[in-house]
Amino acid sequence: MQTYLEKRQPAQKMARFYRMAVMPNLFGEWTLYREWGRIGQGGQVRMDWFADENQAVAALITLEASKRQRGYWVEPQQLAMFDLTG
């Protein structure tokens, strides 16, 4: 599971991104990978480890909801990246 959010406010010259993904690691645990920063530049990275996939996905969903409340959103053309139907 993964998500990519952006926050743009041209008047304040703000263009930020927040990327999250849940993936297994080599030790049988699950990792919530997070990266954030200015669009077009490398961002900061944080990885949180969880005992099972459900905990990691729940953390991603909670964090995504928090970011959406702070003004982050997904552009419609970005949704095509996650289309699994075709």
Side-chain angles (χ1 to χ4, degrees), residues 39-74:
I39 294 173
Q41 298 180 0
Q44 295 185 22
V45 174
R46 178 175 174 168
M47 290 183 271
D48 298 315
W49 291 274
F50 297 88
D52 64 19
E53 182 180 13
N54 292 334
Q55 291 175 342
V57 169
L60 183 145
I61 291 169
T62 302
L63 191 56
E64 182 179 358
S66 171
K67 292 298 172 187
R68 286 179 182 262
Q69 287 178 347
R70 296 186 69 195
Y72 284 80
W73 49 278
V74 177

Side-chain angles (χ1 to χ4, degrees), residues 17-59:
F17 74 94
Y18 207 96
R19 176 181 299 128
M20 296 177 279
V22 172
M23 58 188 97
N25 64 24
L26 295 175
F27 306 107
E29 300 172 322
W30 288 84
T31 303
L32 173 57
Y33 172 87
R34 300 191 268 170
E35 182 180 4
W36 66 93
R38 292 182 60 85
I39 294 173
Q41 298 180 0
Q44 295 185 22
V45 174
R46 178 175 174 168
M47 290 183 271
D48 298 315
W49 291 274
F50 297 88
D52 64 19
E53 182 180 13
N54 292 334
Q55 291 175 342
V57 169

